Amino acid sequence: MRLLLAIACLLIAMPLIQGEPSENSKQRAEERYPQVFRTFMPEAGPSAFAVQLSPNLGLCYDPLRGGVNQIWRGRVDLTPTNLAKINQVAMVPEAVFYEERLVQPLHLGAIDAPVERRFKGYRYEKDVVIFEYTINGHLISESLRMTSDGSSVERIFRLPKDGGEAFLPVEPQSKSKVSIEGGSEQSSGLWTFPAGGEIRMFIRPRDVIISHLPVKRRTSSPLAHSCS
Amino acid sequence: MSATSSFIPYISLAFVFAVVPLCSGEDSGNSYEIEEIHLPQDMNPEISGVAFTPRGRLVVTNRHGDVWFTDHPSEGPWHRYAFGLHEPVGILAVSDREIYVTQRPELTRLLDTDGDGVADRYETVNDDWCMTDNWHEFTFGLHRDKKGNFLLAVGMPDMAGPFNSRYPRLPLSEVKVQKEQKPSLGSYQGWVLSISPEGKMIPVASGFRQPAGIGISPDDEVFVTDQQGDYIATSTLAHIKPGGFYGYPASLKWREDYRGPIPDIETLAAMRIPESVSLPHGALGGSPGEPIWDTTGGKFGPFEGQVFIGDFTKLISRVFLEKVAGEYQGAAFPFIRDAVGLEAIQANSGANNLTIPAGKEGLKYFRDTPPRSGTPLRPGNMRMVFAPDGSLYSGQTTRGWGKGDGLQRIVWSGRDPVEIEAIRLTKDGFDISFTTEMDAAKLAAEETWKLSRFRYLYLPGGSYRVDVTDCRITSIHPAADGRRVSLKIEALDPGYIYEFEPWELVSSTGKPVENPLAFYTLNRLLDGRRFEGPLTRALLKEKPSNSEINLTAGAQVYSAFCMICHQADGRGGALPGSEASAGSGVVSLAAANFRQRGPDSPLAKSDEDLVRIVTHGPEGKPMPPFGGVLSQEQIRNVIAYLRSAFGKSEPSPEQKSVK
């Protein structure tokens, strides 16, 4: 019976304590936005990103398809993917107001040029997250930020100087209005941009009425004047 | 050595240990203490990577994707350095502002460019392998060799979960190389990879099933642990050679010279590089993690230069490596095991069966556990690191397979443990050295030296131990200082694992050996001779299973495995601990009463039915299946014992003799 007692003792002695909150851990950046989570995303390639630009505005950034898969109002829920043993995709809020489906939409040199896209990472700057990747070896950065009224997404691509002209087909959206600056629309939905320039894209849900896009412009941008 | 004969000493050992009061508050006498590192409440405790920066800051990563650090592990505070990573299971801390992680999709550099203690750049160093979002696709790491190359390993997906082939990073291929259960769907799944400081990937070696632990020795050599299953008969510690194939066929198809399926197992067997050290399944865990070298200069006790390997079960093993005829081989020992007893038995079902490793060899694992007091070791010991103060940190994640996550620290008490220090091969046997002076008489006694050998086969279905035999020791030569003994063995052959079970061996002060179990993987003899025989079939016939019933053996099985629930008198009743969980809604928490009579009573069933029940567990009842733990012979014996002890009206004499 001693064996039994000993085992019972051990069971009772199992530590249940899992740590106390430490004061200074509150200094963490949890309240800061944007927040980027690499995870299992629905309708995305493997290991895509859930990006919350604010607690109430988020998007799926897919480094393999190449772009923003959806933009939603609300917050992505990572609980299913964190808790499930056999993983489940994150839960995206129903209020999706923007969707992209074209595979590798951004082309350099020609609209039918092959695209070899490599993901290079991301970085946080104030109020913005900047994704980096190469297309056929040329570095492109793509920044994502929330407009100051909190409703819309500003997306700016910085194009390489040596990659040739850029081509971007812009998919029609029923629930949002997409405006583009920095290039010209060649044919319906197909935009071109000069090498070394910027693609500036503003995505605003249609049910938000505002007279102008209240984004702080970067005056250093070479194309800021010609397109405003 | 048959399973039964090896089993007997362990029962007795269990009783020896049982009289040690495990819960006393006095000085434990443990040579190694386990301390809990308290984690902040807002940190997910599934610690999947642990490292120190060169100046001594503790950095951990967890499965939910954070990186945290603290300068004061025992009191905190902790700070979050990064978040949002995809199941990182490896971390390397270059400085307070430069940390690398292996996450599922890539090797990532996390930089804090502005020095505020929070990473602001997440740079992709390399991602030249494929992944499909399968639940089981881990990228293991992370260590760097002296040239600055990162070494990591890519695991195999698992068919139990879905694949995502939308926008794949590389072409996928479902082609099987042979009969492997886990396909290498994308390139380099099942490989060890090296990534140069400039971020260029070089595939190093293939043939891994689940290479969850990668380590670099002080001599800058790469070692990897792999996990038991199909083809990989037992878990391994392998020395990695560029271009090598280590046994799991799936990943071969990503080799440049691959020309198509290899239906012939002999061809694969000839290609396969054997592991340096086998970690016998069950006895030494089930899923090894990261191998790390004790370079503490004695701060962690007497095992300087040896390898420590955490396991998914409540176990940390220790490995002594030696070079024999130019290749590494050596001995593996348990180092710290938790007493798992009843808890493990109860958990040994379905998805939890990793808590005690499945397989007949699991038997020993949870019977001969040394007594420990104080904080017990948790499971999930997949990542470990030595701290600057010489203590061992173990990051623990069970990823939903088991219970228990967190961070523990193992500290040497300063007292010499009573352990086998090392086992070295000699030309006609083994030299066994100890961490302390041993009892001279015991050291020289024939009864002390129980030695057997076995091997594993290389087969698609994996393998239990085969060719199990006792070894005859022809001479025993203890050294004058009592710290060493030389054994001469009658049959010293390559290709076998030699199992040492020193029996009642004590130190000169009377303390028993803490872990009286060791396995020497004899790949080569000193003269370089290797195993020439078949790797795919046994040389000896298995013992017939309907050998004679042995009531004494049955009684011992009963006292070791059944009595905790069914009681010494066979009357069963409330399961231990069930009082505490009363009201939890569990259907039945009472074990069967073998003294019950009547047509519905347990012993009214046929032997055949009872064997089936004990093997598979009674349906819907909280009794574990014993099929993976006990041999059919042992099950027959225990059933015969039930009938003889409890089937009659009065307690039989045998029953009284069981404590």
Side-chain angles (χ1 to χ4, degrees), chain A residues 9 38 47 85 87 118 124, chain B residues 23 84 86 127-128 135 399:
Chain A
C9 281
R38 199 154 198 190
S47 273
K85 182 177 153 191
N87 55 268
R118 300 306 307 260
Y124 291 100
Chain B
C23 284
H86 201 181
D127 61 0
D128 284 347
W135 67 299
R399 203 200 180 267

Side-chain angles (χ1 to χ4, degrees), chain A residues 1-11 13-15 17-30 32 34-49 62 64-65 69 81-87 89 100-101 103 118-125 132, chain B residues 18-19 22-23 36 38-42 45 63-64 68 77-80 83-87 103-106 116 118-124 127-128 131-135 160-162 164 166-167 169 314 338-339 341-343 351 367 372 375-376 378 399-401 405-406 563-564 576:
Chain A
M1 279 303 80
R2 272 180 174 158
L3 174 61
L4 173 60
L5 273 176
I7 290 165
C9 281
L10 268 167
L11 290 181
M14 283 294 288
I17 332 116
Q18 203 55 274
E20 289 151 79
S22 73
E23 287 309 313
N24 292 9
S25 66
K26 292 285 166 257
Q27 288 176 351
R28 45 189 287 193
E30 186 146 78
R32 272 191 238 159
Q35 294 174 357
V36 176
F37 303 91
R38 199 154 198 190
T39 188
F40 307 107
M41 292 298 287
E43 295 168 57
S47 273
F49 292 96
D62 190 335
L64 288 165
R65 183 192 62 80
N69 288 9
T81 104
N82 282 338
L83 295 188
K85 182 177 153 191
I86 293 187
N87 55 268
V89 291
E100 265 174 39
R101 282 170 201 266
V103 178
R118 300 306 307 260
F119 186 67
K120 293 290 166 194
Y122 55 100
R123 63 181 198 270
Y124 291 100
E125 287 180 9
E132 290 188 329
Chain B
V19 295
L22 295 189
C23 284
E36 199 62 47
H38 296 287
L39 304 176
Q41 233 155 29
D42 41 3
R63 201 177 62 79
H64 290 190
W68 292 72
W78 286 83
H79 304 274
R80 194 178 72 167
F83 69 100
L85 302 164
H86 201 181
E87 278 199 280
Q103 45 173 335
R104 276 175 174 265
E106 61 175 43
D116 66 350
V118 177
D120 43 57
R121 292 189 73 102
Y122 293 54
E123 294 177 359
T124 306
D127 61 0
D128 284 347
M131 75 218 160
T132 69
D133 272 0
N134 178 267
W135 67 299
N164 175 4
R166 203 189 290 248
Y167 323 128
R169 193 154 69 188
K314 297 171 182 177
D338 179 48
L342 176 66
E343 187 198 25
R367 291 320 311 167
R372 286 192 55 84
T375 307
R378 261 198 299 263
R399 203 200 180 267
W401 276 296
D405 302 288
M563 202 170 76
I564 27 183

Side-chain angles (χ1 to χ4, degrees), chain B residues 184-424:
Chain B
S184 178
L185 267 192
S187 65
Y188 303 119
Q189 288 180 334
W191 282 71
V192 168
L193 307 174
S194 163
I195 291 163
S196 75
E198 300 74 38
K200 191 173 155 10
M201 187 263 275
I202 298 159
V204 178
S206 64
F208 301 97
R209 191 174 169 279
Q210 214 51 249
I214 189 155
I216 298 184
S217 76
D219 295 329
D220 216 26
E221 292 175 293
V222 181
F223 285 81
V224 164
T225 61
D226 202 359
Q227 304 198 346
Q228 184 266 0
D230 54 331
Y231 293 92
I232 308 295
T234 195
S235 298
T236 64
L237 175 68
H239 175 214
I240 301 306
K241 295 175 179 175
F245 166 69
Y246 288 82
Y248 201 73
S251 52
L252 274 176
K253 67 178 161 195
W254 306 113
R255 253 167 67 153
E256 276 175 13
D257 59 356
Y258 180 67
R259 296 287 170 270
I262 304 176
D264 177 12
I265 184 79
E266 303 296 341
T267 306
L268 287 174
M271 290 167 67
R272 173 180 167 269
I273 298 181
E275 62 265 28
S276 305
V277 170
S278 308
L279 305 169
H281 190 59
L284 288 182
S287 303
E290 186 172 34
I292 57 163
W293 275 254
D294 179 351
T295 52
T296 62
K299 288 185 200 159
F300 193 63
F303 304 115
E304 170 81 3
Q306 296 196 11
V307 191
F308 289 82
I309 304 173
D311 193 80
F312 189 88
T313 60
K314 297 171 182 177
L315 166 77
I316 296 172
S317 313
R318 173 168 66 85
V319 169
F320 165 79
L321 287 171
E322 63 174 347
K323 251 190 177 166
V324 172
E327 301 288 347
Y328 286 107
Q329 61 187 36
F333 314 82
F335 171 60
I336 287 187
R337 293 172 283 178
D338 179 48
V340 277
L342 176 66
E343 187 198 25
I345 294 172
Q346 286 176 327
N348 184 24
S349 62
N352 276 334
N353 67 3
L354 277 172
T355 310
I356 28 171
K360 295 193 172 88
E361 291 82 29
L363 174 99
K364 286 187 176 173
Y365 169 68
F366 64 98
R367 291 320 311 167
D368 64 353
T369 292
R372 286 192 55 84
S373 56
T375 307
L377 184 69
R378 261 198 299 263
N381 302 284
M382 302 309 285
R383 293 290 175 266
M384 303 199 302
V385 68
F386 279 106
D389 68 1
S391 62
L392 175 67
Y393 280 70
S394 180
Q396 297 149 330
T397 173
T398 54
R399 203 200 180 267
W401 276 296
K403 291 193 191 85
D405 302 288
L407 182 60
Q408 290 182 319
R409 172 175 179 250
I410 296 151
V411 186
W412 181 42
S413 65
R415 269 187 296 268
D416 270 334
V418 181
E419 291 280 26
I420 302 175
E421 183 253 335
I423 299 178
R424 292 176 176 83

Side-chain angles (χ1 to χ4, degrees), chain A residues 120-206:
Chain A
K120 293 290 166 194
Y122 55 100
R123 63 181 198 270
Y124 291 100
E125 287 180 9
K126 192 171 160 33
D127 304 329
V128 63
V129 58
I130 302 164
F131 286 92
E132 290 188 329
Y133 47 92
T134 57
I135 288 183
N136 306 338
H138 303 290
L139 186 68
I140 295 169
S141 72
E142 185 177 335
S143 68
L144 297 161
R145 112 166 60 210
M146 179 182 73
T147 57
S148 58
D149 73 330
S151 73
S152 311
V153 175
E154 178 212 72
R155 193 175 167 194
I156 298 180
F157 301 67
R158 293 193 175 91
L159 299 169
K161 287 199 178 67
D162 51 358
E165 212 179 350
F167 294 80
L168 183 69
V170 178
E171 297 173 56
Q173 302 291 331
S174 61
K175 292 188 181 155
S176 55
K177 184 170 181 325
V178 179
S179 30
I180 311 269
E181 294 176 1
S184 55
E185 192 169 12
Q186 278 211 329
S187 56
S188 171
L190 177 62
W191 288 72
T192 61
F193 305 85
E198 280 186 353
I199 304 172
R200 292 192 301 279
M201 189 188 269
F202 305 94
I203 302 161
R204 174 162 58 91
R206 286 200 191 271

